[in-house]
């Protein structure tokens, strides 16, 4: 496929407006239509025609569409696009249920269509640099991944809780940067905002290579935090994905002579390095990668099958919180253990 892809957008809300902005300026792509039954009251469509239905968009002859409507509608919209032979970039989470995510995987894979999930943290400069360094073995054996994703309640969210909306970021990025899959998860949730969904979760998990995982996610903090740390035998990488900064705290080769500190630290404190890395807008990078995947020149996207795996782990988090037990997550099966 050559230059001049015709793209569409489904959903013109708080995330859809950013997709519209990027699509309108994306090289070798033309934004030909936007679907939103509510219209374009804020002028976010970048001059593209605003349509009422997905079928109207399909009739324009689009090569791919970005699905940024509410999570509960992802399956319905995605299946219609697949049926029409249209490639799709679906906002995360790929669906609001495991069964829905599986149906989307089957629909696109069976037709040989390119489809991806908008797990945008994969395009954050700090995490991309971290992943490259982990793949190069700079940290040695990995022991633990810790994430914290906290902030005030986002009024744009009405159909899912903090696990499906926010924790799916951390579930996906953890598997992506380490190259591992989750094998078990134990979690607790609370709901303090008066909504039917949870607004805080704390989870402990294990990856396929034995790495320990800790996630703290909430909508109850008055400050915003996006923190990811990976600790291994040679030190710790820390990514602040709000500022896209990556730092490395090394284990020193020089022993600590102060006896009290030596006993407390357990390892020697070494150098701290903040890496200078190029910082491009993650959403633009995400769109460039998906455009190239549709053209057949790149495969660096989050696939629907990977998105399905994230939804499965999120379901395990909620099941663990409900049952009070650890849940194993292997081969698409969820099993609870203990009390």
């Amino acid at each position: 496929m050559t230059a001049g892809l015709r793209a569409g957008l489904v959903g013109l809300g708080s995330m859809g407006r950013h997709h519209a902005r990027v699509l309108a300026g994306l090289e070798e792509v033309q934004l030909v239509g936007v679907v939103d039954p509510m219209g374009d009251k804020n002028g976010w469509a970048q001059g593209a025609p605003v349509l009422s239905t997905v079928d109207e968009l399909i009739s324009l002859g689009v090569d791919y569409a970005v699905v940024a409507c509410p999570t509960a509608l992802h399956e319905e919209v995605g299946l219609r696009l697949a049926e029409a032979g249209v490639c799709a970039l679906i906002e995360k989470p790929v669906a609001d249920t495991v069964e829905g995510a599986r149906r989307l995987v089957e629909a696109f894979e069976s037709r040989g269509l390119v489809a991806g999930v908008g797990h945008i943290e994969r395009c954050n400069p700090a995490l991309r640099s971290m992943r490259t360094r982990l793949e190069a073995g700079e940290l040695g054996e990995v022991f633990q991944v810790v994430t914290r994703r906290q902030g005030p309640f986002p009024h744009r969210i009405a159909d899912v809780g903090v696990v499906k909306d926010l924790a799916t970021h951390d579930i996906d990025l953890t598997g992506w940067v380490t190259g591992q899959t989750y094998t078990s998860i134990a979690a607790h949730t609370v709901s303090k905002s008066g909504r039917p969904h949870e607004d805080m979760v704390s989870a402990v998990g294990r990856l396929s290579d034995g790495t320990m995982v800790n996630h703290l996610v909430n909508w109850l903090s008055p400050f915003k935090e996006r923190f990811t740390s990976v600790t291994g035998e040679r030190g710790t990488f820390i990514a602040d994905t709000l500022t896209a900064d990556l730092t490395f705290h090394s284990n020193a080769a020089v022993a600590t002579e102060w006896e009290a500190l030596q006993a407390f630290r357990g390892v020697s404190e070494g150098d701290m390095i903040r890496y200078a890395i190029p910082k491009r807008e993650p959403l633009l990078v995400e769109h460039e990668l998906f455009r190239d995947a549709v053209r057949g020149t790149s495969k660096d996207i989050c696939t629907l099958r990977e998105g399905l795996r994230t939804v499965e782990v999120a379901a395990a988090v909620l099941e663990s919180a409900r049952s009070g037990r650890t849940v194993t997550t292997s081969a698409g099966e969820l099993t609870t253990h203990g009390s």
Side-chain angles (χ1 to χ4, degrees):
M1 195 173 292
T2 58
L5 293 175
R6 294 172 61 83
L9 171 65
V10 181
L12 202 54
S14 60
M15 193 64 200
R17 64 190 176 103
H18 294 296
H19 283 293
R21 171 180 56 81
V22 173
L23 281 168
L26 190 61
E27 292 184 3
E28 302 175 355
V29 170
Q30 179 186 3
L31 177 60
V32 298
V34 176
V35 178
D36 197 311
M38 302 298 291
D40 183 20
K41 296 177 291 185
N42 299 295
W44 289 339
Q46 305 293 318
V50 180
L51 314 169
S52 298
T53 67
V54 174
D55 285 338
E56 291 178 74
L57 180 65
I58 292 171
S59 69
L60 295 179
V62 291
D63 298 301
Y64 73 92
V66 177
V67 179
C69 53
T71 304
L73 299 176
H74 286 187
E75 180 186 355
E76 175 187 345
V77 172
L79 291 178
R80 182 67 191 95
L81 292 171
E83 180 184 337
V86 178
C87 299
L89 173 61
I90 303 174
E91 260 300 341
K92 64 87 206 157
V94 62
D96 61 346
T97 66
V98 172
E99 295 74 21
R102 288 174 181 160
R103 285 189 285 269
L104 284 170
V105 169
E106 169 62 22
F108 283 92
E109 286 189 352
S110 65
R111 294 172 171 84
L113 296 169
V114 176
V117 186
H119 279 292
I120 197 168
E121 293 287 40
R122 292 191 180 204
C123 299
N124 188 284
L127 292 176
R128 291 183 74 82
S129 179
M130 177 192 284
R131 182 173 186 253
T132 299
R133 294 175 185 280
L134 289 172
E135 288 179 335
E138 292 185 18
L139 206 57
E141 181 185 354
V142 174
F143 303 148
Q144 183 184 46
V145 180
V146 175
T147 70
R148 297 194 302 270
R149 188 174 296 267
Q150 307 181 85
F153 175 72
H155 294 286
R156 61 183 176 82
I157 300 298
D159 57 339
V160 295
V162 75
V163 171
K164 291 182 180 179
D165 182 64
L166 282 190
T168 47
H169 278 303
D170 296 312
I171 292 167
D172 179 74
L173 75 84
T174 296
W176 180 70
V177 299
T178 62
Q180 305 298 317
T181 58
Y182 285 75
T183 58
S184 67
I185 199 82
H188 295 281
T189 60
V190 297
S191 181
K192 297 293 185 180
S193 61
R195 300 168 66 253
H197 304 291
E198 78 289 343
D199 41 40
M200 175 180 284
V201 61
S202 178
V204 177
R206 187 174 297 276
L207 302 182
S208 48
D209 65 349
T211 297
M212 179 185 292
V213 174
N214 300 79
H215 300 308
L216 177 62
V217 189
N218 75 65
W219 281 329
L220 301 176
S221 297
F223 65 95
K224 192 171 184 179
E225 181 182 35
R226 301 290 184 266
F227 171 95
T228 300
S229 72
V230 180
T231 298
E233 60 181 323
R234 296 175 185 162
T236 300
F237 286 127
I238 296 178
D240 182 337
T241 53
L242 286 176
T243 60
D245 286 326
L246 178 65
T247 57
F248 174 57
H249 297 256
S250 71
N251 290 339
V254 179
T256 301
E257 296 183 8
W258 187 357
E259 184 177 352
L261 287 183
Q262 185 180 47
F264 174 75
R265 294 181 186 278
V267 296
S268 298
E269 185 177 20
D271 297 327
M272 184 188 76
I273 303 170
R274 184 170 70 84
Y275 297 107
I277 53 179
K279 297 181 180 181
R280 303 183 67 223
E281 182 186 0
L283 189 61
L284 174 58
V285 173
E286 179 180 88
H287 275 273
E288 289 175 345
L289 292 174
F290 190 76
R291 173 202 62 194
D292 294 345
V294 174
R295 296 176 63 194
T297 59
S298 172
K299 296 182 178 180
D300 189 9
I301 62 173
C302 177
T303 66
L304 290 195
R305 192 163 290 276
E306 291 171 327
L308 163 62
R309 184 62 177 162
T310 294
V311 172
E312 289 174 339
V313 176
V317 169
L318 292 172
E319 172 59 23
S320 174
R322 185 198 65 79
S323 66
R325 299 177 179 181
T326 298
V327 177
T328 58
T329 61
S330 58
E333 299 294 331
L334 305 183
T335 308
T336 57
H337 300 275
S339 58

